[in-house]
Amino acid sequence: MSFHLETDDKSFAGSSLILDTIREIQAAFAMEKKQHGLTQQSVAEKLGLKHRSIVSRWLRGNENLSLRTIGELAWALNKRAVIKFEDSVCVGGNFFDVEPLPRKSADTIKAPDVYVVTPNSSSADAWGSQRNIIQKSATVLENA
């Protein structure tokens, strides 16, 4: 039996942030556990929680965590949580990072804006690591 779930880019963007955040939390916990023997119980105690099961639910992604909770959990893991907004486009449920391509000689040629588009972590599996160049404008004008 298989399922096909349709979602719009807005919903996919929200879900991707949640999934990426859970993965980051899990990776940070795993690293601290490996390097320093950190346990769910010790995290719960550091945060003043009565039960280790709360931390377990957070690590499994069974809770919708607030930004405050994420920040406090990061502190308990000896980390700092960072949220940053990056230029990106979402096409058909796949995210692509966008960065301007540096120009070599802006004085001699008026070229269209060119961007390097690379799949980000949410879509890298689907698209591999190939880089595509997209031209914002197809017209290149040379100065006379």
Side-chain angles (χ1 to χ4, degrees):
M1 178 182 280
S2 66
F3 295 93
H4 180 73
L5 180 63
E6 296 268 340
T7 185
D8 62 8
D9 289 343
K10 179 180 86 169
S11 296
F12 184 80
S15 297
S16 293
L17 177 61
I18 292 169
L19 183 59
D20 291 346
T21 302
I22 299 291
R23 287 179 180 162
E24 287 291 324
I25 291 169
Q26 291 168 339
F29 179 80
M31 181 72 71
E32 287 297 310
K33 181 177 181 177
K34 182 178 180 179
Q35 292 180 347
H36 304 289
L38 189 73
T39 64
Q40 291 178 10
Q41 183 65 41
S42 63
V43 171
E45 289 170 1
K46 192 170 182 179
L47 291 171
L49 303 173
K50 293 183 180 184
H51 301 285
R52 172 198 64 79
S53 63
I54 296 170
V55 175
S56 178
R57 286 195 305 267
W58 292 350
L59 292 173
R60 286 194 316 263
N62 293 349
E63 301 274 332
N64 192 5
L65 304 176
S66 69
L67 290 175
R68 176 178 295 281
T69 300
I70 292 168
E72 291 172 355
L73 181 56
W75 168 80
L77 297 173
N78 302 311
K79 306 290 182 201
R80 178 176 165 259
V82 177
I83 295 177
K84 63 181 182 176
F85 290 75
E86 300 174 328
D87 288 335
S88 169
V89 289
C90 183
V91 179
N94 293 292
F95 283 99
F96 296 89
D97 295 334
V98 179
E99 60 185 270
L101 191 64
R103 295 186 182 205
K104 291 185 179 180
S105 178
D107 295 334
T108 58
I109 297 176
K110 286 187 177 179
D113 291 335
V114 177
Y115 294 86
V116 176
V117 179
T118 54
N120 69 18
S121 60
S122 299
S123 62
D125 293 339
W127 291 90
S129 61
Q130 74 180 16
R131 295 170 70 88
N132 299 307
I133 295 179
I134 298 177
Q135 288 192 337
K136 196 174 175 187
S137 168
T139 308
V140 176
L141 301 172
E142 293 185 21
N143 280 342

